[in-house]
Amino acid sequence: MLDRSLVARRDRPLGAAPTSNDRARVAPAPAGVRLSLRVRGAEGLSSLGLGLAINRMSAEGERFSARLGPDEWLLGAGEAELETLEGEIAAALGDRFRSVVDVSHRNVAVEIAGPDAASALNAGCPLDLSDAAFPAGSATRTLLGKAEIVLLRPTAEPLYRVECWRSFATYVHGFLVEAARTA
Amino acid sequence: MLLIDCPFCGTRPETEFRCGGEAHIARPTDPSALDDGAWAEHLFVRSNPRGLHAERWIHAHGCGRWFNAVRDTYTDRFVETYKAGEQPSHPIDDARA
Ligand SMILES: [Zn+2]
């Protein structure tokens, strides 16, 4: 468990104001807990989304689990849930060798929603984001312009969550605002 | 855009990948036993065929995994991709003359 005195307050580099555009609305997401989990041979387990196929995610409220590779998951939770989540990982994986890294400060999320959200993302993301190729529950690491992002689509709604590294956040946010304006 | 079939993620855009050079190059088991010429051969000399070529690729901006691909250096077509540690189903020595 982390020493509470070591947990620094998280600033929000993008502020909180959404950019209003009825067809593609860009809004910085609230700060939250993110853990990068690496573990091998855990696909048979059902909790924490460990049983997901590669590039699939599950979400409930602020909690999400996205399987980004054969042995890699990105776990998200509300700001106060770090120790709950760590406890659930310990309960699910027992003595199994694993790596859990708290990347909550590293990651910043921006949400983009609306009927033109996918085409705005496609201004810088080369993936096919059609419903057939990127349906509800899709999640993957990819590119947006010059930045690496994790793109999450929790539900069938045209709402995408873009997770990027903090130092890229102003670039990613600016890119999306610009793309939404012209989508 | 060139599409590459990641063995883990499926068909994805080329910009998410990086090439790591020729595949299936065995590191000498006892490098200190080699003379400079043989060591330089291992480090620097590659087959560079005109035709089918087995290469290492990484899905750097995706699942982050290394895998192998057989690519035709003449047409730039990817013939097949397969996981690291596996062998290609295409014979890679039938390169064009
Ligand atoms: Zn991949």
Side-chain angles (χ1 to χ4, degrees), chain A residues 135-179:
Chain A
S138 296
T140 184
R141 192 180 285 118
T142 182
L143 292 165
L144 181 77
K146 295 183 177 183
E148 183 177 281
I149 61 167
V150 171
L151 184 63
L152 307 166
R153 186 185 183 185
T155 66
E157 298 288 302
L159 185 156
Y160 301 83
R161 183 185 180 95
V162 176
E163 293 264 341
C164 65
W165 289 15
R166 172 166 293 255
S167 53
F168 307 159
T170 47
Y171 168 81
V172 166
H173 183 247
F175 193 106
L176 289 174
V177 167
E178 192 68 26

Side-chain angles (χ1 to χ4, degrees), chain B residues 6 8-9 17 59 62-64:
Chain B
C6 171
F8 299 98
C9 302
F17 296 84
H59 193 187
C63 62

